[in-house]
Amino acid sequence: MRPGLGLVTIGQAPRTDLIPDVEAALSGVDWVEHGALDLLDADGIARLAPHAGEHTLVSRLRDGSRVRLGATSIAPALDGAIRRCVADRCGAVLVLCTGRVEHGPASVPVLHAEDLAHDLMARLVGDGRLGVLCPVPEQLTDIQERWEGRLGRCVIAAAVDPYTAGLDEVAATGRRVSAGGADVVFLDCIGYTGEQRDVLAAEGIRAETARHLAVTGAVDLLSSASCAPPRRA
């Protein structure tokens, strides 16, 4: 039997902006998709906005708009989405967020896009200079500290929102990071798309998306573990 993977966005499912980019990687597993905000109305979502001092996360709603969320505030809603994946008989769950998210214990392994994508990106950059794009300016300090702690050297970071910025703006931000000395640019948010990566490639900038690395890494781990498949929701 094929292994089963639960995909959990911190926003709302389905992520029609994301799945087409990772369909090839998902071809080896059965999968289901749930969102932390799926069962919440507008008022419920508004209550999960980041409080003072809380890490800011950015995700997408079902209507295509984007939302800011608090990394601690979202924990109960994230737990609910993980439980729905377990109910669908997933052998493991991938949390599709490269920010620091909190959740409770689960009865199956919970993988994090941050861990998988960052590990693979660190290998890809090797001894080179890393450039990082993140969605909003308030994430820049945290992003730089995490990457510099991991790599042991300076990184170049800039903010450009994957959900609202045009391709020209993404390209301009990538050029700025590349001109600052980056050898490889990492699009450090699940919201960044393959199209945005390709725009940078057309500028001669080597780049990779978090979504591609995270899903590829999760599928490789799950396939080797031979977990049971879920029922389709």
Side-chain angles (χ1 to χ4, degrees), residues 83-104:
R83 286 194 297 269
R84 294 194 294 277
C85 288
V86 173
D88 286 334
R89 298 178 56 210
C90 294
V93 173
L94 172 63
V95 178
L96 291 166
C97 178
T98 57
R100 292 174 175 170
V101 291
E102 300 179 17
H103 59 81

Side-chain angles (χ1 to χ4, degrees), residues 130-211:
L130 181 66
V132 183
L133 302 188
C134 66
V136 291
E138 55 262 43
Q139 294 175 329
L140 282 170
T141 298
D142 184 52
I143 287 284
Q144 285 184 293
E145 288 177 351
R146 280 191 284 158
W147 273 109
E148 289 174 359
R150 174 183 280 268
L151 298 177
R153 57 186 183 274
C154 292
V155 302
I156 306 159
V160 60
D161 195 317
Y163 299 110
T164 62
L167 292 176
D168 288 346
E169 187 177 352
V170 173
T173 307
R175 286 195 299 270
R176 188 165 71 251
V177 170
S178 181
D183 299 304
V184 186
V185 175
F186 179 50
L187 306 181
D188 200 351
C189 174
I190 291 296
Y192 290 113
T193 67
E195 184 179 21
Q196 291 166 336
R197 176 199 58 209
D198 293 344
V199 164
L200 297 183
E203 299 276 347
I205 299 169
R206 184 184 173 201
E208 189 52 89
T209 64
R211 58 175 55 175

Side-chain angles (χ1 to χ4, degrees), residues 29-121:
V29 298
D30 288 328
W31 56 274
V32 295
E33 185 182 9
H34 291 287
L37 308 184
D38 285 355
L39 306 183
L40 299 179
D41 60 15
D43 289 340
I45 292 172
R47 286 193 287 271
L48 301 183
H51 304 299
E54 189 175 14
H55 286 298
T56 298
L57 306 174
V58 180
S59 192
R60 183 182 188 271
L61 299 182
R62 197 173 289 115
D63 63 5
S65 62
R66 73 107 148 108
V67 61
R68 295 187 184 211
L69 303 160
T72 301
S73 299
I74 198 177
L78 183 58
D79 283 336
I82 292 170
R83 286 194 297 269
R84 294 194 294 277
C85 288
V86 173
D88 286 334
R89 298 178 56 210
C90 294
V93 173
L94 172 63
V95 178
L96 291 166
C97 178
T98 57
R100 292 174 175 170
V101 291
E102 300 179 17
H103 59 81
S107 59
V108 301
V110 178
L111 309 173
H112 290 264
E114 178 183 27
D115 296 334
L116 294 168
H118 283 203
D119 183 58
L120 289 171
M121 194 65 224

